């Protein structure tokens, strides 16, 4: 299993910076930050990082800010009460179904999303319930040991993304583009126009971007 | 608006800037990126509770509100209408709008009846409910809206890389526009800006496909 330390080292070799002249390693290093961004992007696109949390439903309360309970919450996958699955309903459909959606009380049977931080249940709970919510989550960050949560088959791809970002940051844009193209192809994401045409652009790789130049 | 410290550190790391001289400019770039994002997407939905006041039609949402999506009164969703719809359906609606109070049924945000609440203008974070409530009500009005995150990093952790890459691109681009000479360094800078813009585009497309609006 590839560890975080292995990945840091892989990226160092890809960007030719094993001496940490430009980029730092470790749980709070600049290399790790981009590896974690790559993991988040893959988790978002492929739904590869999930968790389950208990949400306490209280009588008379229709809506809940899930981010307060699960700070890594992205979006809900499924919800159950006492092992009975709840149906997902679109908010727009719910308010057409019942304009009194925040008043009608019973055992909740449906859930709906309210943006990226909140969920609601319908009918409004008429007592206390525990809703088990399985959701897409932000993968854990800044870990001093262990491995990424997404599968081993993605780990090389994580290093390619991080190296792409760091190379472009140094002004080695063409090299960054090549690595990013490989990453996006592996993920199955269509290339943005810039990346499709960037190979034709020639730029001096020895020039320092002017915003890094000292006066 | 302040840029969160962790975001500033990441942006500066990618720009390979160590000094603090340009922190203010970076913060301005971040603010522009955040404003454009909030205007374009409903990712930062908010819910605000307001007290209903007897015979009052006009209410004001929090100053961080960018867009009002819906209004509930005592748990019942109000229908959204417009002044033009009212003109078509009910000639002289403005007169009836100042008639007796009751249970609010509709809400809108444009064109006030001229004598309702004696207001001379309306701001984007104000809305009207009609009929005006007949009695006071604590937390009777629920405003569903989209709001700017505060000076802290957005609670939605998944949006931070997108904001970082857009801010990096924005900073480089606005720096290039201030230059007059065409140099190799400038060309590299523009390519770097376009690269980070492309990366941000990838994040934006993925997030758009995943996060419910």
């Amino acid at each position: 299993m590839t560890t975080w330390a292995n990945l840091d080292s892989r990226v160092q070799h890809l960007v030719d910076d094993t001496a940490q002249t430009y980029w730092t390693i470790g749980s709070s290093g600049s290399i790790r930050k981009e590896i974690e961004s790559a993991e988040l992007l893959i988790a978002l696109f492929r739904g590869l990082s999930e968790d389950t949390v208990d949400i306490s439903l209280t009588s008379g309360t229709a809506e809940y800010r899930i981010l307060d309970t699960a700070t890594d919450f992205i979006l809900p996958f499924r919800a159950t009460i006492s092992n009975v699955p709840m149906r997902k309903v679109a908010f727009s459909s719910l308010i057409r179904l019942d304009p009194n959606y925040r008043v009608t009380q019973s055992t909740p049977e449906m859930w709906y999303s309210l943006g990226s931080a909140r969920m609601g249940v319908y009918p409004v709970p008429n007592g206390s319930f525990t809703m088990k919510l399985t959701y897409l989550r932000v993968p854990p960050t800044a870990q001093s040991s262990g491995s990424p949560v997404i599968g081993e088959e993605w780990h090389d791809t994580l290093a390619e993304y991080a190296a792409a970002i760091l190379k472009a940051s140094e002004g080695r844009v063409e090299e960054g583009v090549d690595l990013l193209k490989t990453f996006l192809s592996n993920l199955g994401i269509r290339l943005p126009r810039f990346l499709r045409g960037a190979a034709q652009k020639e730029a001096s790789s020895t020039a320092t971007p002017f915003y890094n130049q000292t006066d | 608006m302040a840029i969160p410290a962790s975001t500033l550190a990441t942006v500066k790391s990618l720009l390979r800037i160590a000094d603090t001289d340009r922190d203010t400019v970076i913060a301005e770039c971040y603010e522009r990126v955040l404003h454009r994002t909030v205007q374009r997407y409903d990712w930062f939905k908010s819910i605000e509770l307001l007290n209903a006041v007897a015979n009052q039609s006009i209410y004001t949402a929090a100053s961080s509100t960018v867009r009002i999506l819906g209004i509930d009164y005592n748990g019942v969703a109000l229908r959204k209408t417009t002044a033009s719809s009212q003109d078509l359906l009910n000639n002289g609606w403005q007169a009836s709008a100042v008639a007796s109070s009751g249970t609010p049924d509709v809400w809108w945000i444009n064109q006030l009846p001229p004598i309702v609440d004696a207001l001379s203008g309306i701001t984007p974070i104000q809305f009207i409910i009609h009929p005006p409530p007949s009695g006071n009500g604590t937390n009777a009005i629920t405003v569903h809206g989209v709001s700017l995150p505060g000076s802290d990093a957005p609670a939605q952790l998944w949006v931070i890389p997108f904001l970082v890459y857009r801010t990096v691109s924005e900073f480089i681009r606005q720096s290039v526009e201030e230059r007059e000479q065409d140099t190799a360094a400038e060309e590299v800078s523009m390519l770097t800006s376009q690269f980070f813009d492309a990366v941000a585009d990838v994040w934006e497309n993925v997030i758009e496909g995943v996060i419910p609006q």
Side-chain angles (χ1 to χ4, degrees):
Chain A
M1 175 68 76
T2 310
T3 65
W4 284 111
N6 293 150
L7 281 170
D8 283 350
S9 176
R10 201 171 296 178
V11 175
Q12 281 184 296
H13 280 93
L14 282 173
V15 300
D16 307 313
D17 189 31
T18 51
Q20 293 192 66
T21 305
Y22 300 114
W23 309 108
T24 53
I25 61 171
S27 59
S28 56
S30 46
I31 288 179
R32 181 69 62 81
K33 209 161 247 330
E34 298 309 323
I35 299 174
E36 288 169 349
S37 291
E39 189 185 24
L40 172 56
L41 184 62
I42 295 173
L44 269 172
F45 188 63
R46 293 295 187 105
L48 291 179
S49 175
E50 66 176 53
D51 202 355
T52 300
V53 68
D54 286 347
I55 303 294
S56 297
L57 306 182
T58 55
S59 178
T61 301
E63 288 146 10
Y64 300 83
R65 186 176 158 83
I66 307 300
L67 267 182
D68 290 343
T69 307
T71 55
D72 56 358
F73 174 80
I74 300 178
L75 84 161
F77 279 149
R78 51 194 176 274
T80 61
I81 291 179
S82 300
N83 294 324
V84 177
M86 300 170 70
R87 283 179 289 135
K88 179 183 176 182
V89 63
F91 182 60
S92 54
S93 301
L94 179 62
I95 59 175
R96 280 198 298 272
L97 172 71
D98 183 2
N100 296 300
Y101 72 101
R102 298 179 88 229
V103 175
T104 306
Q105 290 198 8
S106 185
T107 300
E109 296 175 350
M110 305 181 205
W111 62 269
Y112 51 95
S113 285
L114 282 171
S116 56
R118 293 178 174 272
M119 278 178 64
V121 295
Y122 176 85
V124 178
N126 58 357
S128 296
F129 298 91
T130 298
M131 177 175 70
K132 273 203 183 310
L133 175 67
T134 301
Y135 62 97
L136 178 65
R137 68 162 175 169
V138 175
T141 59
Q143 295 189 298
S144 55
S145 61
S147 302
V149 296
I150 64 173
E152 180 85 28
E153 66 273 19
W154 294 104
H155 290 182
D156 282 345
T157 298
L158 298 179
E160 284 161 359
Y161 176 93
I165 298 296
L166 301 181
K167 285 197 175 193
S169 179
E170 291 177 40
R172 298 152 68 183
V173 178
E174 257 186 272
E175 296 174 54
V177 165
D178 289 340
L179 280 167
L180 191 62
K181 279 179 170 178
T182 306
F183 169 81
L184 293 176
S185 296
N186 289 340
L187 200 52
I189 292 180
R190 189 167 183 270
L191 300 180
R193 183 180 301 176
F194 169 74
L195 296 180
R196 290 199 297 271
Q200 280 73 45
K201 269 235 181 251
E202 290 293 328
S204 167
S205 61
T206 60
T208 302
F210 69 83
Y211 54 86
N212 287 145
Q213 293 172 355
T214 54
D215 292 329
Chain B
M1 170 184 290
I3 181 173
S6 56
T7 304
L8 176 63
T10 306
V11 169
K12 288 173 69 172
S13 171
L14 291 176
L15 290 170
R16 297 175 57 211
I17 290 174
D19 58 73
T20 58
D21 296 348
R22 286 162 283 189
D23 285 5
T24 303
V25 178
I26 294 173
E28 288 169 359
C29 292
Y30 174 81
E31 184 178 358
R32 282 200 294 274
V33 167
L34 191 59
H35 276 249
R36 282 202 300 267
T37 303
V38 175
Q39 282 163 8
R40 185 166 182 179
Y41 296 107
D42 291 345
W43 296 339
F44 304 110
K45 283 199 173 87
S46 61
I47 287 183
E48 183 187 5
L49 300 177
L50 299 176
N51 297 330
V53 177
N55 300 313
Q56 178 178 314
S57 297
I58 300 166
Y59 295 84
T60 304
S63 57
S64 60
T65 305
V66 172
R67 195 157 53 251
I68 296 173
L69 301 175
I71 304 291
D72 297 348
Y73 178 79
N74 281 341
V76 179
L78 304 186
R79 290 175 294 130
K80 187 178 181 187
T81 187
T82 64
S84 55
S85 300
Q86 297 287 80
D87 289 341
L88 284 171
L89 292 172
N90 182 13
N91 194 24
W93 66 275
Q94 292 180 325
S96 64
V98 299
S100 59
S101 56
T103 301
D105 182 43
V106 296
W107 73 278
W108 73 92
I109 56 173
N110 66 330
Q111 192 173 349
L112 282 176
I115 54 176
V116 170
D117 289 18
L119 251 211
S120 58
I122 190 167
T123 66
I125 58 171
Q126 290 180 308
F127 59 93
I128 309 119
I129 59 175
H130 175 71
S134 54
N136 295 334
T138 302
N139 292 337
I141 298 171
T142 304
V143 181
H144 297 270
V146 177
S147 297
L148 276 170
S151 54
D152 296 330
Q156 294 88 339
L157 301 176
W158 44 265
V159 78
I160 294 174
F162 165 75
L163 295 176
V164 164
Y165 299 134
R166 252 328 163 220
T167 302
V168 169
S169 172
E170 178 88 4
F171 174 85
I172 298 172
R173 186 167 50 247
Q174 66 94 36
S175 301
V176 170
E177 285 163 0
E178 291 168 1
R179 290 278 173 162
E180 293 173 359
Q181 294 119 359
D182 187 19
T183 65
E186 220 171 282
E187 186 177 351
V188 170
S189 301
M190 276 312 300
L191 281 178
T192 308
S193 170
Q194 289 170 342
F195 176 90
F196 280 104
D197 241 355
V199 175
D201 285 345
V202 170
W203 277 85
E204 187 172 353
N205 290 336
V206 170
I207 292 171
E208 244 187 306
V210 171
I211 301 300
Q213 277 281 60

